């Protein structure tokens, strides 16, 4: 049988608040009542025994007349049997002193302490009494009326009831305030999400300023909305860019095939056109492969392949791989990093990101230019890889746009590529808890790939 927990709602929280408050009151009142009741009983019993002992000592020292006088003085004017009940009788049962007319029925035949019901002034009374048998057959009875504490107990119960009512009223008011506060926040969240559903993806939840758990939840939701907006905007941009960038190679491919079909050129020219058509198809496949790679990175599925990576060794391999290209352009390509610079990440994606950064610098660096690749640890949690060149650079107003998919600055229109290189680098950086920043190198471009040393432990 499965235990069904109550639903998490503002009403449930308010009711739960009232119930918990009453339970706390009960947990406080129950021990207090027990301690009070037990203490009263012990004190009453001790007083009875003390009075009986004093009266017995008085009888042994001064005899029956002195005891009778002492009892009459104590019960004088108290004939309702409420506070003190005493009786001193002779061996023949005759009353000598006290506020009882005769020896009551129901009293045990043996000496000691007991609780019985006797009649006092023709009224039944619950009493606790001590029976004492004195010398020569005299008997003494000292009793305390248990009913005398009923009024005090009623006052105590009325006090607890009043406290319970006050707690209920306070709990009801507190529950209403809690419910109103929660519903107010839920309403604001609902309004924001309704705007987002209508297509206003830039709207975000307002973060509370009191630093509670809802603030942390709001920040998490806002980060999720940032990612959703980024993905939706990326899909829209990609849709437009694909139509634009695929049109050129497909148009060229169709034109070549149509020309081959109409002109029927010699074999040598035909094979040349076929090779050019294959290049166009490769460009199209390269675009789709890059898009698939970006989709895989954005989904976060590559985190499952994270291992410890020696970033210094990886950077050296990338530099060595692009070394021949740099020699053809007479470019000084260098790499500098401390030994054993380790991070946790995907080695294939990190190698591709470093390769894209180096390839981008080689495209735009001038002949006999300089490209410096450096890697260093900023602190215990962050590592930076910097690729700096002395090429034409990127205008400041376009640096934030070049990491968008398919975006290319005007100066790069004639160079190979489809505008996805830096987009892949930026996506890899986000996957590893970092970012890609582009700055002026005076002259040239300075690209910094910032990585979190262990993205699994990253906190926001």
């Amino acid at each position: 049988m499965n235990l069904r927990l109550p639903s998490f709602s503002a009403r449930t929280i308010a009711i739960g608040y009232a119930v918990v408050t009453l339970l706390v009151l009960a947990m406080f009142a129950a021990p207090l009542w027990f301690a009070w009741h037990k203490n009263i009983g012990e004190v009453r019993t001790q007083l009875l025994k003390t009075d009986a002992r004093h009266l017995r000592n008085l009888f042994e020292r001064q005899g029956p007349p002195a005891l009778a006088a002492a009892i009459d003085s104590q019960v004088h004017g108290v004939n309702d049997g409420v506070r003190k009940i005493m009786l001193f009788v002779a061996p023949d049962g005759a009353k000598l002193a006290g506020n009882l007319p005769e020896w009551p029925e129901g009293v045990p035949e043996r000496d000691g302490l007991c609780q019985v019901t006797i009649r006092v002034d023709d009224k039944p009374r619950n009493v606790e009494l001590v029976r004492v048998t004195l010398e020569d057959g005299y008997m003494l009875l000292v009793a305390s009326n248990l009913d005398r504490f009923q009024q005090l107990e009623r006052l105590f119960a009325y006090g607890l009831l009043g406290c319970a009512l006050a707690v209920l009223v306070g709990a009801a008011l507190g529950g209403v305030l809690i419910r109103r506060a929660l519903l107010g926040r839920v309403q604001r969240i609902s309004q924001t999400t309704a705007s987002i559903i209508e297509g206003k993806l830039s709207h975000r939840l307002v973060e509370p300023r009191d630093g509670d758990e809802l603030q942390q939840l709001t920040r998490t939701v806002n980060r999720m909305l940032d990612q959703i907006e980024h993905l939706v905007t990326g899909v829209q941009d990609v849709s437009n860019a694909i139509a634009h960038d695929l049109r050129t190679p497909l148009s060229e491919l169709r034109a070549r095939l149509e020309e081959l079909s109409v002109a029927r050129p010699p074999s040598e020219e035909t094979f040349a056109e076929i090779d050019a058509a294959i290049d166009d198809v490769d460009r199209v496949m390269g675009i789709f492969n890059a898009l698939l790679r970006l989709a895989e990175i954005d989904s976060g599925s590559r985190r499952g392949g994270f291992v410890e990576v020696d970033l210094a060794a990886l950077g050296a391999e990338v530099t060595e791989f692009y070394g021949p290209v740099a020699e053809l352009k007479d470019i000084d390509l260098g790499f500098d990093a401390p030994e054993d610079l380790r991070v946790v990440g995907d080695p294939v994606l990190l190698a591709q990101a470093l390769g894209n950064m180096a390839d981008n610098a080689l495209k735009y660096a001038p002949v006999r230019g300089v490209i410096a690749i450096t890697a260093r640890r900023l602190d215990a949690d962050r590592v930076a890889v910097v690729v700096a060149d002395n090429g034409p650079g990127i205008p400041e107003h376009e640096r934030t746009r070049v990491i968008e998919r398919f975006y290319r600055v005007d100066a790069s229109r004639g160079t190979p590529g489809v505008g996805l290189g830096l987009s892949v680098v930026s996506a890899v950086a986000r996957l590893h808890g970092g970012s890609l920043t582009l700055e002026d190198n005076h002259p040239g471009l300075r690209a910094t790939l910032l990585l979190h040393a262990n993205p699994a432990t990253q906190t926001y």
Side-chain angles (χ1 to χ4, degrees):
M1 182 177 179
N2 294 329
L3 180 62
R4 184 177 180 181
L5 297 177
S7 60
F8 183 80
S9 63
R11 179 178 300 175
T12 305
I13 294 176
I15 295 175
Y17 175 77
V19 171
V20 170
T21 306
L22 289 177
L23 287 176
V24 171
L25 177 63
M27 293 172 63
F28 170 77
L32 181 63
W33 171 264
F34 175 78
W36 179 85
H37 196 71
K38 185 174 179 61
N39 183 65
I40 287 294
E42 291 179 353
V43 170
R44 182 180 60 244
T45 301
Q46 187 64 34
L47 289 176
L48 280 175
K49 291 180 178 180
T50 302
D51 288 343
R53 185 171 59 254
H54 288 169
L55 293 174
R56 182 170 188 167
N57 292 337
L58 180 62
F59 175 84
E60 292 175 352
R61 290 196 309 268
Q62 302 182 21
L67 178 58
I71 291 175
D72 285 337
S73 66
Q74 292 189 36
V75 299
H76 179 70
V78 183
N79 56 5
D80 58 356
V82 173
R83 286 183 290 176
K84 283 191 176 182
I85 301 174
M86 294 184 180
L87 181 62
F88 178 41
V89 298
D92 58 359
K95 174 183 175 182
L96 299 179
N99 53 359
L100 289 178
E102 59 184 7
W103 193 263
E105 298 180 359
V107 177
E109 297 296 332
R110 56 183 177 80
D111 289 354
L113 183 70
C114 65
Q115 291 186 4
V116 295
T117 300
I118 62 175
R119 298 190 65 84
V120 181
D121 295 335
D122 294 329
K123 295 180 181 180
R125 304 279 188 181
N126 295 319
V127 299
E128 183 179 36
L129 59 82
V130 176
R131 170 181 170 154
V132 181
T133 301
L134 304 174
E135 295 179 359
D136 299 328
Y138 291 92
M139 289 188 296
L140 173 65
L141 187 149
V142 181
S144 176
N145 189 359
L146 298 179
D147 296 335
R148 61 182 291 194
F149 297 97
Q150 287 183 348
Q151 184 177 1
L152 187 58
E153 292 176 356
R154 284 196 296 269
L155 291 175
F156 189 85
Y158 291 154
L160 287 180
L161 181 60
C163 290
L165 291 176
V167 167
L168 277 177
V169 173
L173 293 176
V176 169
L177 293 177
I178 292 174
R179 186 171 185 269
R180 181 173 297 179
L182 287 177
L183 289 181
R185 293 189 177 184
V186 170
Q187 183 66 23
R188 289 194 293 270
I189 294 175
S190 299
Q191 291 175 353
T192 303
T193 52
S195 300
I196 294 173
I197 292 173
E198 293 174 358
K200 301 175 182 178
L201 299 179
S202 61
H203 283 206
R204 296 293 181 269
L205 302 179
V206 178
E207 291 190 11
R209 297 183 178 180
D210 45 7
D212 57 4
E213 290 78 7
L214 284 178
Q215 183 183 43
Q216 183 178 0
L217 177 62
T218 301
R219 289 178 178 176
T220 303
V221 173
N222 283 339
R223 289 200 303 271
M224 178 189 69
L225 293 175
D226 290 338
Q227 181 68 5
I228 291 175
E229 183 183 16
H230 170 73
L231 294 176
V232 172
T233 304
V235 170
Q236 294 173 347
D237 294 341
V238 166
S239 300
N240 297 330
I242 287 178
H244 180 272
D245 284 84
L246 291 183
R247 182 174 56 188
T248 300
L250 291 177
S251 298
E252 293 177 356
L253 177 60
R254 185 184 186 282
R256 287 192 177 94
L257 295 177
E258 184 178 10
E259 183 179 355
L260 288 175
S261 177
V262 173
R264 307 286 179 173
S267 299
E268 185 176 350
E269 294 182 14
T270 299
F271 285 118
E273 290 297 327
I274 291 175
D275 291 338
I278 291 174
D279 291 338
D280 290 336
V281 173
D282 288 340
R283 287 175 59 189
V284 174
M285 292 180 62
I287 292 174
F288 281 109
N289 288 334
L291 291 175
L292 290 174
R293 193 178 304 113
L294 283 171
E296 186 180 13
I297 295 173
D298 287 336
S299 68
S301 60
R302 294 298 293 262
R303 283 183 180 267
F306 277 15
V307 296
E308 193 174 59
V309 181
D310 188 349
L311 202 59
L314 188 64
E317 292 177 3
V318 171
T319 304
E320 183 180 359
F321 178 81
Y322 283 94
V325 180
E327 291 180 2
L328 290 176
K329 294 184 66 174
D330 197 15
I331 294 176
D332 183 10
L333 176 62
F335 175 73
D336 179 58
E339 295 182 358
D340 197 22
L341 184 62
R342 296 186 178 275
V343 298
V344 175
D346 189 311
V348 176
L349 292 180
L350 290 175
Q352 184 173 8
L354 294 180
N356 286 1
M357 294 172 68
D359 182 71
N360 191 72
L362 288 169
K363 286 180 183 177
Y364 304 107
V367 178
R368 292 186 296 277
V370 177
I371 298 176
I373 304 176
T374 59
R376 66 185 185 280
R377 183 177 297 277
L378 301 180
D379 51 43
D381 296 326
R382 297 182 302 162
V383 174
V385 180
V386 180
V387 179
D389 62 69
N390 60 347
I394 299 176
E396 184 176 357
H397 64 278
E398 291 189 303
R399 290 174 192 165
T400 57
R401 298 202 60 192
V402 294
I403 61 175
E404 298 176 5
R405 299 173 188 184
F406 295 105
Y407 183 83
R408 306 186 73 189
V409 296
D410 294 336
S412 64
R413 293 295 179 183
T415 59
V418 293
L420 290 174
L422 292 181
S423 299
V424 172
V425 177
S426 179
V428 172
R430 289 197 305 273
L431 183 68
H432 290 78
S435 61
L436 173 65
T437 58
L438 304 176
E439 302 170 313
D440 195 347
N441 195 40
H442 306 290
L445 181 69
R446 180 183 179 89
T448 302
L449 176 63
L450 184 64
L451 302 173
H452 199 277
N454 189 355
T457 62
Q458 187 176 10
T459 57
Y460 296 92

